[in-house]
Every structure is written in structure tokens, then in C-alpha cells.
Amino acid sequence: MVCYYGTWAVYRPGDGSFDVENIPIDLCTHIIYGFTDLGPDNRIALYDPWNDIIDPSQGGGRGALLRFTGLKRLNP
């Protein structure tokens, strides 16, 4: 079963908020992280640096990409 994680869900108010840790990894065979962006050089770029990465010098904070890829350790 393919599970899709729309990163904007973290911004929903109250009970509608949905973060990486809410993904039911025991049900998913594959997970998709939406979204990243395409930079002017046609390389993958961050769509929401504050949510996606940890490094504050690059506008980061929450580290969702790192937490998302870390789910593989919990359910290989």
C-alpha cells in the first residue's frame, strides 16, 4: 500500500494536524513525501525549508525530511 504524506498537513489546525510521526508505517509498503520543488538549475530544491530541514542557517527548523527517511529504520 502506497501512503502519501502531504507536508502541508502539519499546518492544519487542531486535530487536523498530521506530522511525519502520524504516518501508519505498519500499513505502508511505500511512502511518498510531497513536496519538494524544482530549482532554476533543474535540481531538487526545498519547498518549505522550515518544515523540511533542521539547519537554521538555511531557514530550517523541524527536520521533517530527516524524520521521514528515518521511518525506514522503524519498518524496513
Side-chain angles (χ1 to χ4, degrees):
M1 173 186 283
V2 177
C3 298
Y4 176 87
Y5 173 64
T7 59
W8 63 84
V10 74
Y11 297 110
R12 292 181 191 151
D15 291 339
S17 184
F18 193 88
D19 211 341
V20 170
E21 290 74 20
N22 299 120
I23 298 170
I25 58 170
D26 56 324
L27 300 178
C28 305
T29 58
H30 299 76
I31 53 177
I32 298 170
Y33 188 93
F35 286 92
T36 56
D37 206 355
L38 191 60
D41 58 356
N42 292 324
R43 296 177 69 184
I44 292 176
L46 297 172
Y47 184 75
D48 181 0
W50 180 80
N51 186 43
D52 294 338
I53 61 173
I54 295 172
D55 188 350
S57 71
Q58 296 181 23
R62 300 194 72 244
L65 272 170
L66 185 61
R67 295 182 358 253
F68 182 85
T69 57
L71 294 175
K72 185 77 169 176
R73 286 188 301 268
L74 300 174
N75 188 8

